[in-house]
Amino acid sequence: ALLSSGLQDKAFYTGMWATLNTLGRWSGELFDRRKNGEIYPKYLTITAVLDTSGAVAYYVGTFSDITERKQAEAKINRLAYYDPVTNLPNRRLLLDRLKQALKTSGRSGQRGALMFLDLDHFKLLNDTMGHDLGDELLQQVAARLKTCVREGDTVARLGGDEFVMLLEGLGQSPHESAAHAEAVAAKILGALGQPYA
């Protein structure tokens, strides 16, 4: 009860105690609750201390607060898979999702579409108005693109002014899936053609 943050289930603690009773020690990551109610990650090591008869007299637990490490890991993961300007998946994550989509499509027979988009005259905007304004435009484009696709589809930024949309599960018929992709493309053109603030 002392360690329980409510984020680990009963099976977690059952496994922890099974290891502790078998090996006499357990270590691992878990979430704990501070006195103020805040939940934080920690690395905990528990060791059983035996008395002279070989029975467990008590347990000693030591822990380290690993909040900063977890935040650094999340930041590294974010930088590895997401574009820092638009927060869209980057090339690496797009390729991973594309591989998964191909596998899924091969099993289900569902078709998909891959759309490539680049912005006309973006370099001119960057050169004349500055990179800050260029980044703002990229963010607005990213937001508009996300509204044009379904939740399970992927909008990624390859770099510069290049975006890719991965549409999955468009249907098994070539005509049906092509019509759906064409409708999404028209929706994208309409959204991107609106004025930008």
Side-chain angles (χ1 to χ4, degrees):
L2 178 68
L3 301 175
S4 181
S5 64
L7 297 178
Q8 285 87 217
D9 59 10
K10 187 176 180 179
F12 173 86
Y13 290 106
T14 301
M16 180 180 83
W17 279 105
T19 301
L20 192 54
N21 291 330
T22 304
L23 302 177
R25 60 186 156 69
W26 179 90
S27 60
E29 293 180 6
L30 59 102
F31 290 95
D32 199 355
R33 187 179 304 273
R34 298 186 198 281
K35 287 180 183 177
N36 67 4
E38 176 189 4
I39 294 175
Y40 71 100
K42 73 179 185 180
Y43 189 85
L44 174 66
T45 300
I46 302 174
T47 306
V49 178
L50 306 179
D51 62 17
T52 54
S53 68
V56 175
Y58 53 90
Y59 297 96
V60 174
T62 57
F63 74 90
S64 301
D65 183 336
I66 57 173
T67 301
E68 287 182 18
R69 190 187 90 200
K70 287 294 190 183
Q71 289 170 343
E73 286 173 2
K75 185 175 181 180
I76 289 167
N77 185 57
R78 188 109 192 121
L79 289 172
Y81 294 104
Y82 289 87
D83 172 60
V85 174
T86 61
N87 289 318
L88 292 176
N90 63 15
R91 180 185 309 264
R92 172 184 268 170
L93 185 53
L94 173 67
L95 290 175
D96 184 56
R97 289 187 180 175
L98 182 57
K99 286 178 192 173
Q100 287 301 114
L102 289 170
K103 286 179 188 175
T104 302
S105 179
R107 285 192 303 268
S108 69
Q110 289 282 322
R111 296 176 182 271
L114 196 62
M115 296 182 178
F116 180 83
L117 169 99
D118 81 354
L119 304 177
D120 293 340
H121 312 297
F122 180 73
K123 184 179 180 332
L124 179 63
L125 174 79
N126 250 354
D127 291 346
T128 59
M129 304 296 278
H131 290 278
D132 288 344
L133 196 63
D135 287 351
E136 198 173 321
L137 176 66
L138 292 172
Q139 291 163 358
Q140 289 186 37
V141 167
R144 291 180 188 194
L145 289 174
K146 288 194 298 190
T147 65
C148 295
V149 298
R150 298 165 301 174
E151 191 174 325
D153 296 329
T154 299
V155 177
R157 179 176 176 226
L158 296 184
D161 64 344
E162 298 174 337
F163 294 86
V164 172
M165 282 67 60
L166 172 61
L167 310 178
E168 298 183 62
L170 299 180
Q172 292 184 335
S173 155
H175 297 295
E176 176 188 353
S177 54
H180 187 72
E182 189 175 351
V184 172
K187 189 174 181 183
I188 288 170
L189 288 174
L192 296 186
Q194 298 302 310
Y196 292 86

